[in-house]
Amino acid sequence: MSDSEEHQFESKADAGASKTYPQQAGTIRKNGYIVIKNRPCKTCQVVEVSTSKTGKHGHAKCHFVAIDIFTSKKLEDIVPSSHNCDVPHVNRTEYQLIDISEDGFVSLLTDNGNTKDDLKLPTDETLLGQIKDGFAEGKDLVVSVMSAMGEEQINALKDIGPK
């Protein structure tokens, strides 16, 4: 290699940050987040975090019933309360809706004035209908995007008035 060659590196701007962090199972409560079967979940919606008594083989157990935050599937796990569980870093960001393409992708305006064009419309029928109807009526819409473990999805909508 010569000194004049330039190296190009692609960056996703997370600087190697972990998608999860450890938390002791016994400290996770309802409405908290947990990773079950490599899926980010929220422990809510008539779910339980029950702790059983220590048995003959040692540890008290925590029984988690959680809902996947992207697919809404119910997942369960039983973990000794003294062991660590993975908890996802969950972020919510709001973007203004600019356009909806025919193939189901949305064009969103970021805070710095750029566009974000890599998100699909949500699969939730109610939310999908609200977004399409509001956009067709020419309303200014702001969508809330939830991101965790490398996935993103539109999960809420705000109407900020007519255009």
Side-chain angles (χ1 to χ4, degrees):
M1 287 176 124
S2 72
D3 292 335
S4 63
E5 285 186 46
E6 288 188 31
H7 296 284
Q8 297 266 319
F9 296 101
E10 301 258 335
S11 171
K12 291 284 186 194
D14 70 356
S18 175
K19 296 175 182 175
T20 63
Y21 61 94
Q23 185 173 344
Q24 192 171 351
T27 64
I28 296 173
R29 299 283 172 239
K30 278 190 181 185
N31 296 323
Y33 294 102
I34 186 171
V35 176
I36 298 178
K37 297 180 182 147
N38 287 324
R39 299 294 305 154
C41 300
K42 184 167 187 167
T43 56
C44 69
Q45 300 175 355
V46 195
V47 299
E48 56 182 294
V49 179
S50 62
T51 307
S52 62
K53 292 185 179 177
T54 51
K56 153 171 112 171
H57 296 291
H59 302 287
K61 303 273 193 291
C62 293
H63 179 213
F64 295 106
V65 181
I67 308 297
D68 186 310
I69 60 176
F70 295 120
T71 65
S72 299
K73 287 186 181 167
K74 185 175 169 180
L75 297 168
E76 293 189 51
D77 200 6
I78 296 175
V79 182
S81 63
S82 60
H83 288 202
N84 281 346
C85 293
D86 283 334
V87 176
H89 289 286
V90 179
N91 295 313
R92 278 199 180 93
T93 313
E94 291 189 342
Y95 300 102
Q96 185 167 353
L97 180 65
I98 300 172
D99 194 19
I100 300 174
S101 66
E102 292 173 14
D103 60 357
F105 282 87
V106 293
S107 184
L108 306 172
L109 184 65
T110 64
D111 286 340
N112 61 6
N114 294 330
T115 58
K116 179 174 177 58
D117 302 309
D118 59 348
L119 273 177
K120 282 195 157 201
L121 284 164
T123 53
D124 175 54
E125 292 296 325
T126 308
L127 184 58
L128 177 63
Q130 290 172 344
I131 291 171
K132 283 186 169 181
D133 293 346
F135 186 75
E137 293 169 16
K139 293 181 180 174
D140 275 338
L141 302 175
V142 172
V143 294
S144 178
V145 175
M146 184 181 286
S147 61
M149 297 179 66
E151 289 185 55
E152 290 182 307
Q153 182 175 298
I154 296 172
N155 69 330
L157 174 71
K158 259 196 262 185
D159 180 359
I160 56 171
K163 284 187 179 172

